[in-house]
Amino acid sequence: METTFYFDTWKRFVHEGVLDKARLDKRILESWYRCKKERVNPYLNKGMHLLTEKELHNKKAQNSLLIKMTDPYLKKMDPMIKSSGMMALLVDPDGYVLSLLGNEKTLKDARRINFMEGVRWTEAAVGTNAIGTALETKEAVMIQGHEHYSVASHQWSCSATPILDDNGGLLGVIDVSCPVDQSHPFMIGMVTSIAYAIEKELIKRSHSKEITLLLQAAQLAESHHSQLFIVCNQHKQIISASKPIREKIPHVIGMNLQEMLHNRYQINAEMPLYLNEDNGMNGICLFLSEVNTPYKHVFSSSTRPAGSFVFKGECGISEVFRRTLQKVKLVAPTDATVFISGETGTGKEMVARAIHENSPRKNSPFISLNCGAIPKDLMESELFGYAEGAFTGAKRQGYKGKFEQAQRGTIFLDEIGEIPHTMQVALLRVLQEKKVTTIGGTKEVPLDIRIITATNRDITDLVKRREFREDLYYRLNVYPIDVPPLRNRKEDIPYLIKHICQKNHWGIGSTDIQDLITRLRDYDWPGNIRELTNLLERLHIMLPEQLSGHLPLEHSLELLNLNHPSHPEYPIEESSAEETRLNAREKIQRDLMLDALKRTNGNVTAAAKFLGIPRSTFYKRLKKFGM
């Protein structure tokens, strides 16, 4: 009966695009819609994307470590898999089957649909299936019979779990499949436990490599003790440094390479470091020199070199904010109208100023107006100005509006979504005609200005609700720039702290600042850079001793009311509501964490060490699992 239901549901969706959402699993529902959007053939009866023998060989070489780590676990399960009429597969991050083993009859049936080594088994290739959907969602999934999108898999039951590295990166997928009439619920638990065991093994192996690399670095330190050098692992994280570097940057260990180079160093030479066991590159030793001229983000307009870029803030090292600045660099020399979006406190006005200061208008006025802070009945006179005697209380000599004040320069209208409908019509007219008439005046004043607008609201939603004119939106949204929130550029926090404190002459001691930065990175920053600035000012006022390293860090953070993770107090109670929201992998991780915490009496550092994961990862999971 259930099989007939799923077949009828599938058939109706394929033919009519209609789906009974209440009776279909959410992940399968979403996957079917993805397949429909990608125009996957629902009547596909076999996998069509097959690698050549040479291509498969290269794929296996690229994933040799994954195959090496997975093979013992699959072989151990092989007798049980064969006796249960199943097959087990290892799949790479691109969806290509690297290896498979299992019941001979099942393997033979699978070959009829090209379900074999070298085939690509993604959603885009063969529709909804456990492997492809696990790759898409990074979650364990079980898909049976007509839950599959294409007919090729309708007679199969498949369970798959992604293998993830410690940063959540996708390494591959473990899958167990069998004919649908031989399906068993334990399949999903089997693949999840195998994947988790492999992940733990990979973490141990990574730590072993790190130790070998540290030994190599120690030998280098003896022979090059006076030189400036650092040793990085494969993730470009610094794990060792020569004494002169450590003395100048006490917290250099653990830094990202880009952070290090940001501290006025440049690379002179590189020396790869290898492991004997597989001849693969284990890390790299970089010999450095100090940059003669300190790197600066700010140049004065009178002294900066020709063609240099001005940004009177801290750009940091994050890729997301560098992309924003790249857009600023591209649009600044033009006269295009710019629309800046971003949350409150992200620095939209600073971005607008950077556009102005890098434009041909840089020597003319930059006029800023917060539209949300001006009463609606005063907005027209504020923008357009008024003539003498235009109304009761008007200044005797009249008033030149913001548009005229910005002549030959730039006007920045912040919170543009707040302007009333009548002003939207007037603003549209100014954009079209490039002229303005003061209130009570008769003479039109030609305008030579650049307009930049910004908002923290969803402007497209305002347009849909007819609260913002669509024609005005398209006039303003010529060149959109999005300013990322601070939570998306947390690697910039150390540089922002330094910049803000230097700008305001707030001294920072070095004793606990690195630990403080680590804790600040765990906070979500709903108020963004503005909130960070306020916090630093509060810290400066309340605890000057802390900034000199004289007060305990934990005490200062409590006074600042930051909601950072803390050591859990016992007893730890499992939440049934949280339990229902966790997938199979997360439930296993959570249970292991609970066990480790109980074994270590709630000591997070010891519990993280017991599980072989970094303390920062342990904290993230505590928060994620609601513990």
Side-chain angles (χ1 to χ4, degrees):
M1 187 72 180
E2 188 175 359
T3 303
T4 305
F5 160 73
Y6 277 118
F7 178 72
D8 291 340
T9 303
W10 172 83
K11 190 163 66 172
R12 192 176 180 202
F13 180 76
V14 166
H15 289 283
E16 303 171 25
V18 178
L19 201 56
D20 182 358
K21 298 180 181 180
R23 302 187 68 184
L24 201 65
D25 181 87
K26 181 175 178 286
R27 280 182 296 186
I28 295 170
L29 177 94
E30 291 170 347
S31 177
W32 279 16
Y33 277 121
R34 285 195 296 269
C35 295
K36 193 86 170 177
K37 185 179 179 181
E38 293 295 324
R39 298 183 178 179
V40 177
N41 180 7
Y43 297 103
L44 193 72
N45 59 8
K46 64 174 67 174
M48 304 301 290
H49 301 276
L50 282 160
L51 297 174
T52 64
E53 190 174 336
K54 184 178 180 181
E55 288 171 336
L56 178 58
H57 176 78
N58 291 337
K59 273 283 180 187
K60 288 184 175 182
Q62 292 168 11
N63 294 276
S64 57
L65 177 60
L66 179 64
I67 294 170
K68 183 179 178 181
M69 301 299 295
T70 308
D71 194 53
Y73 293 96
L74 293 184
K75 283 182 176 175
K76 187 177 179 181
M77 304 292 289
D78 191 32
M80 190 266 286
I81 288 171
K82 282 179 177 175
S83 64
S84 303
M86 299 177 181
M87 59 188 288
L89 304 90
L90 174 64
V91 182
D92 82 349
D94 297 321
Y96 287 100
V97 177
L98 298 173
S99 66
L100 70 169
L101 51 78
N103 182 277
E104 282 300 323
K105 183 180 182 305
T106 303
L107 292 171
K108 184 179 178 181
D109 291 340
R111 283 194 288 272
R112 293 194 183 111
I113 60 170
N114 285 340
F115 197 29
M116 57 189 185
E117 276 193 1
V119 70
R120 191 176 197 188
W121 214 258
T122 59
E123 283 189 348
V126 292
T128 303
N129 69 90
I131 293 169
T133 305
L135 287 169
E136 284 286 335
T137 62
K138 288 189 179 181
E139 292 181 1
V141 61
M142 184 174 189
I143 296 180
Q144 304 191 71
H146 296 102
E147 290 176 341
H148 292 91
Y149 188 78
S150 294
V151 296
S153 304
H154 277 191
Q155 302 307 313
W156 290 85
S157 174
C158 308
S159 296
T161 300
I163 303 169
L164 306 176
D165 64 26
D166 202 45
N167 295 316
L170 190 63
L171 300 175
V173 166
I174 292 286
D175 174 85
V176 171
S177 297
C178 66
V180 71
D181 57 356
Q182 294 176 256
S183 175
H184 196 283
F186 76 79
M187 290 166 59
I188 190 73
M190 183 194 302
V191 291
T192 302
S193 60
I194 293 174
Y196 189 67
I198 293 167
E199 287 173 356
K200 284 199 71 176
E201 193 68 31
L202 285 167
I203 290 170
K204 287 180 184 177
R205 185 183 177 88
S206 175
H207 289 171
S208 176
K209 274 191 172 186
E210 206 94 320
I211 291 168
T212 304
L213 191 56
L214 283 168
L215 292 173
Q216 291 175 319
Q219 293 172 358
L220 281 168
E222 286 182 10
S223 56
H224 300 83
H225 62 276
S226 62
Q227 296 187 28
L228 301 178
F229 77 86
I230 56 174
V231 176
C232 297
N233 61 19
Q234 290 174 310
H235 303 293
K236 295 185 178 179
Q237 185 180 38
I238 298 169
I239 66 163
S240 182
S242 61
K243 188 177 179 180
I245 294 282
R246 295 198 308 273
E247 287 176 346
K248 291 192 175 185
I249 309 175
H251 305 291
V252 66
I253 306 304
M255 269 189 182
N256 181 276
L257 175 58
Q258 289 303 315
E259 290 184 68
M260 175 65 194
L261 298 179
H262 198 85
N263 280 270
R264 304 172 189 170
Y265 288 91
Q266 63 185 13
I267 299 170
N268 288 346
E270 300 180 2
M271 184 172 73
L273 301 174
Y274 296 92
L275 276 177
N276 294 327
E277 63 180 85
D278 55 13
N279 293 322
M281 193 174 82
N282 191 25
I284 190 166
C285 178
L286 301 171
F287 292 91
L288 310 173
S289 65
E290 290 184 306
V291 179
N292 292 331
T293 305
Y295 178 83
K296 294 181 180 179
H297 295 299
V298 185
F299 296 92
S300 68
S301 59
S302 58
T303 61
R304 70 175 184 269
S308 63
F309 177 70
V310 183
F311 181 66
K312 293 184 178 177
E314 174 57 60
C315 61
I317 60 169
S318 67
E319 184 60 31
V320 65
F321 193 66
R322 287 188 181 277
R323 285 197 296 267
T324 297
L325 288 185
Q326 185 59 33
K327 286 187 175 183
V328 172
K329 290 178 186 179
L330 289 172
V331 78
T334 74
D335 237 4
T337 303
V338 178
F339 188 89
I340 304 172
S341 57
E343 295 177 9
T344 298
T346 51
K348 295 188 290 296
E349 182 169 345
M350 188 164 284
V351 169
R353 286 185 181 276
I355 294 170
H356 172 74
E357 288 163 3
N358 291 279
S359 75
R361 298 178 180 271
K362 60 180 177 287
N363 295 320
S364 298
F366 176 86
I367 302 298
S368 176
L369 179 71
N370 187 331
C371 299
I374 305 295
K376 293 180 181 180
D377 54 346
L378 296 179
M379 189 169 290
E380 186 177 7
S381 60
E382 190 68 29
L383 282 174
F384 303 140
Y386 53 82
E388 183 178 349
F391 50 81
T392 303
K395 292 180 181 178
R396 181 175 297 178
Q397 68 276 23
Y399 174 74
K400 188 183 287 187
K402 298 297 184 186
F403 281 115
E404 281 194 77
Q405 291 176 35
Q407 197 70 277
R408 291 182 296 280
T410 303
I411 186 168
F412 173 56
L413 302 176
D414 199 5
E415 304 304 343
I416 192 68
E418 304 298 329
I419 66 172
H421 198 272
T422 52
M423 281 304 302
Q424 291 178 32
V425 176
L427 179 56
L428 183 61
R429 190 179 303 117
V430 170
L431 287 166
Q432 290 171 337
E433 299 175 3
K434 298 285 184 181
K435 294 177 182 178
V436 66
T437 304
T438 58
I439 299 172
T442 55
K443 185 181 177 182
E444 288 185 331
V445 180
L447 294 177
D448 175 18
I449 58 172
R450 180 183 200 161
I451 296 179
I452 301 176
T453 55
T455 184
N456 65 348
R457 301 182 67 182
D458 184 348
I459 199 74
T460 55
D461 183 56
L462 294 178
V463 171
K464 286 178 186 175
R465 289 189 285 151
R466 300 185 181 278
E467 292 180 24
F468 198 88
R469 290 181 63 100
E470 188 174 18
D471 48 2
L472 177 58
Y473 167 68
Y474 288 119
R475 280 278 186 174
L476 297 175
N477 195 38
V478 176
Y479 189 89
I481 294 178
D482 181 60
V483 184
L486 185 54
R487 62 181 171 276
N488 291 349
R489 48 178 297 212
K490 288 188 176 181
E491 58 266 54
D492 292 340
I493 287 176
Y495 306 104
L496 289 166
I497 290 174
K498 184 177 180 181
H499 172 77
I500 293 165
C501 290
Q502 286 179 346
K503 180 181 175 182
N504 293 282
H505 307 292
W506 299 334
I508 293 185
S510 60
T511 306
D512 285 328
I513 192 63
Q514 192 63 35
D515 198 12
L516 172 63
I517 288 168
T518 301
R519 298 292 298 276
L520 294 184
R521 279 174 171 165
D522 292 335
Y523 184 54
D524 281 340
W525 298 107
N528 294 292
I529 297 172
R530 186 177 295 134
E531 184 183 9
L532 176 62
T533 303
N534 293 343
L535 181 142
L536 291 171
E537 183 173 13
R538 194 155 74 247
L539 188 61
H540 172 70
I541 294 168
M542 291 165 52
L543 299 165
E545 295 89 348
Q546 170 59 56
L547 291 171
S548 303
H550 296 150
L551 276 182
L553 177 67
E554 295 296 328
H555 178 60
S556 69
L557 291 173
E558 285 173 15
L559 290 174
L560 290 169
N561 295 318
L562 279 180
N563 297 318
H564 293 295
S566 58
H567 295 286
E569 297 180 3
Y570 273 79
I572 295 177
E573 297 182 1
E574 298 183 14
S575 166
S576 58
E578 184 65 32
E579 180 78 15
T580 59
R581 292 196 293 270
L582 302 180
N583 59 37
R585 171 194 300 280
E586 290 168 339
K587 286 175 184 176
I588 292 173
Q589 288 179 342
R590 184 173 180 272
D591 291 344
L592 287 169
M593 288 172 68
L594 283 167
D595 180 63
L597 286 167
K598 287 171 183 174
R599 286 170 181 265
T600 58
N601 295 320
N603 187 313
V604 172
T605 302
K609 190 173 182 181
F610 179 80
L611 292 178
I613 62 175
R615 188 175 64 170
S616 59
T617 301
F618 199 98
Y619 272 126
K620 287 176 186 175
R621 290 179 183 171
L622 281 175
K623 186 175 181 181
K624 178 180 178 183
F625 300 153
M627 295 164 61

